[in-house]
Amino acid sequence: MGWYCPRGIWWLGFLLVLVYAAFGIAAHSLKDVIEPYMAFLGLASLLIYGGWRRKSVALILLVAVCLVQIVSWWLAIGDHPQWARPNPDTERLAKLFIFIAIAWWLRGSLRHMFWVWGLALVAFLLTTVVLPEGRESWLIGLQGERVGFGIQNNQHASMLFGVALLGLCIFARRFCWSGGFRRGRACVWFGMMLMVLVGILFGQTRAVWLALFVSAIVALLAVGAYAKRRYRVRLLNRKTVGIGAGLLLAAVIVTVLFGRVLADRALSEDQIIAQLLSGRLDTLPYTSIGIRIHSWVAATQWIGERPWIGWGSNGRELVIEHTPWLPEYVKTHFGHLHNFLLETLVNYGVLGLACVIGLMAWVGTITWRAWSRGDMPNDVALFAVAFFCYWLIVNQFESYLSFWTGIYVHNLIVAGLVTLYWRSPGDPRRAVENRLP
């Protein structure tokens, strides 16, 4: 079955997606206005014209998370009405499913997917130089100070730069050598790559550094395993040695230019880590790491009281505000737990976490299936693997999926993967679009 949608409706939906991608960071208040219209129109179109796609597991999971949030709120009203919110606030987890509408508007097109992803990347980078806070951050960063480019806080800008780095590395061949103007494309790619690398260094977010390191290793292992199985090549050859030498040279240059900043940031809490590994949590100072550990310990106590359905949509705030042994400084300056999975457990219990894990498992499964049957190119599948590792790690140290930045990234990336899975088996565009230069 084809991908039918009335032309006027599709153009309206796709234009909304383009505006969403372009202004998601620079003007997220505008994004918040567009978002519900784009999502509702896309969901309605899918249900009317979607054919077999209407049976998607994603829609079942969407209904499930809404029911879990409503039940959690209803039980919270009965158990602790003084703390419960006046409404179930179902959008907290439901927003993670906006990708359903975006995937529908992308219409199974690899070209549309890259337009949207590329637009989001360029818009983000321009935001860091066009807005006054962004320009100022570049200058302050040169002095060795940690900066956030005016985007939520320091960690969120670093997270966005990290996603950009994964995309630029994995899609480098497609970007630089696909079509004409190859030298110009390569120069643009090099400029964006330099900008992203410096942005990651200036953000000084250790979780992003760790996530990039792990995801790079996983991606290289995946490429090596695929090449050995498909082409019977040795893992150590002239090409891989050249790539390794290039990475080593880049690491040396970065160390020479920013070695002091990297060392200071990476080792700033080495004593805290040593104390943590020794198990002495009670006397752990309330540093960046210490605040996270203490809040996680407090969260486990609240989870133990209501493990199955949680405390409602404001559970994470209750942990911070009503745990008596947390200091006032933490209660005043923090309202979340810096860990999305832990926040989900506190808010919605095991049932809520099961829905989130179910979503992760489904996205992984459909990515594998789309790649296996030829609907997803190798580089997109590799990006999916690297992004999954990166996303899983960074969300253990900052609750990006509880903030607009993380929801924005999540929906754009997952939508691209889902739309390729939703392609019709007989779609003639697959053979042309999937071919690498």
Side-chain angles (χ1 to χ4, degrees):
M1 181 181 294
W3 199 301
Y4 172 75
C5 181
R7 192 172 185 83
I9 295 177
W10 178 79
W11 269 112
L12 175 60
F14 187 60
L15 287 174
L16 288 174
V17 171
L18 292 177
V19 174
Y20 178 87
F23 295 97
I25 301 299
H28 62 90
S29 56
L30 174 62
K31 173 189 71 68
D32 292 341
V33 173
I34 293 172
E35 197 173 63
Y37 297 102
M38 177 189 69
F40 177 78
L41 185 60
L43 187 60
S45 298
L46 172 63
L47 294 176
I48 295 172
Y49 307 109
W52 60 270
R53 301 173 187 88
R54 291 177 294 193
K55 300 177 182 179
S56 174
V57 174
L59 292 172
I60 298 174
L61 289 171
L62 173 58
V63 173
V65 298
C66 290
L67 289 176
V68 167
Q69 290 176 104
I70 291 172
V71 171
S72 178
W73 167 76
W74 180 65
L75 293 177
I77 289 288
D79 182 74
H80 46 276
Q82 72 280 14
W83 292 341
R85 285 186 170 167
N87 58 73
D89 195 17
T90 56
E91 69 170 11
R92 186 176 288 274
L93 289 183
K95 278 191 172 184
L96 299 180
F97 292 82
I98 293 173
F99 71 83
I100 296 174
I102 300 177
W104 172 253
W105 296 129
L106 292 178
R107 210 171 184 174
S109 169
L110 190 67
R111 185 173 290 107
H112 293 164
M113 183 195 78
F114 278 121
W115 282 352
V116 170
W117 285 4
L119 180 61
L121 169 63
V122 172
F124 162 60
L125 295 180
L126 287 176
T127 298
T128 66
V129 295
V130 172
L131 297 183
E133 290 178 324
R135 293 197 302 269
E136 185 179 357
S137 292
W138 289 110
L139 298 176
I140 296 175
L142 289 172
Q143 302 171 15
E145 297 293 328
R146 190 183 185 193
V147 294
F149 300 91
I151 301 172
Q152 190 67 32
N153 59 40
N154 296 338
Q155 292 95 329
H156 290 253
S158 294
M159 175 273 290
L160 293 168
F161 278 119
V163 176
L165 179 62
L166 291 178
L168 286 172
C169 289
I170 293 174
F171 298 124
R173 184 184 175 196
R174 184 182 291 272
F175 182 85
C176 295
W177 287 282
S178 177
F181 305 102
R182 293 185 177 183
R183 290 185 179 179
R185 285 170 176 260
C187 290
V188 171
W189 178 88
F190 180 79
M192 290 193 296
M193 191 71 169
L194 181 63
M195 192 175 180
V196 165
L197 286 171
V198 174
I200 291 171
L201 290 173
F202 285 2
Q204 299 184 27
T205 302
R206 291 166 296 194
V208 169
W209 297 349
L210 173 64
L212 287 171
F213 178 73
V214 173
S215 58
I217 291 177
V218 171
L220 289 173
L221 289 175
V223 170
Y226 176 77
K228 185 176 181 180
R229 182 178 178 181
R230 178 71 182 272
Y231 303 109
R232 307 286 183 181
V233 298
R234 293 182 296 111
L235 295 183
L236 286 178
N237 53 52
R238 184 179 301 176
K239 193 171 185 178
T240 58
V241 170
I243 293 174
L247 293 175
L248 181 62
L249 178 61
V252 170
I253 294 173
V254 169
T255 302
V256 171
L257 295 177
F258 301 99
R260 183 182 62 81
V261 175
L262 290 170
D264 290 346
R265 183 59 182 164
L267 302 176
S268 61
E269 297 188 69
D270 55 339
Q271 295 180 351
I272 306 299
I273 296 174
Q275 185 176 340
L276 174 63
L277 294 176
S278 68
R280 293 177 286 126
L281 303 183
D282 293 342
T283 59
L284 202 66
Y286 282 84
T287 59
S288 176
I289 294 177
I291 290 172
R292 284 168 168 78
I293 299 301
H294 284 298
S295 64
W296 295 348
V297 171
T300 59
Q301 298 172 357
W302 286 72
I303 292 169
E305 294 186 36
R306 296 176 64 85
W308 292 105
I309 205 66
W311 293 83
S313 60
N314 61 333
R316 64 177 190 171
E317 290 91 345
L318 296 179
V319 172
I320 300 296
E321 295 172 6
H322 297 284
T323 298
W325 49 267
L326 286 177
E328 285 299 321
Y329 169 79
V330 174
K331 295 181 180 182
T332 302
H333 291 85
F334 298 95
H336 61 283
L337 302 174
H338 300 91
N339 184 305
F340 177 71
L341 296 181
L342 201 60
E343 286 187 2
T344 303
L345 264 176
V346 172
N347 290 352
Y348 308 112
V350 173
L351 294 180
L353 183 62
C355 292
V356 172
I357 293 177
L359 174 61
M360 294 165 57
W362 178 76
V363 173
T365 300
I366 62 104
T367 299
W368 172 264
R369 289 177 179 174
W371 175 72
S372 298
R373 72 188 187 199
D375 284 318
M376 183 177 291
N378 291 340
D379 55 350
V380 177
L382 180 63
F383 175 74
V385 171
F387 175 77
F388 179 82
C389 295
Y390 175 82
W391 205 231
L392 189 62
I393 293 172
V394 295
N395 272 283
Q396 306 314 305
F397 300 97
E398 181 65 35
S399 308
Y400 293 110
L401 284 171
S402 296
F403 292 91
W404 60 270
T405 52
I407 293 171
Y408 169 78
V409 170
H410 163 85
N411 283 312
L412 287 181
I413 300 299
V414 175
L417 305 179
V418 173
T419 200
L420 297 183
Y421 171 70
W422 278 351
R423 279 177 160 181
S424 297
D427 191 341
R429 292 175 300 179
R430 295 188 305 167
V432 176
E433 289 189 335
N434 290 0
R435 186 174 61 242
L436 276 172

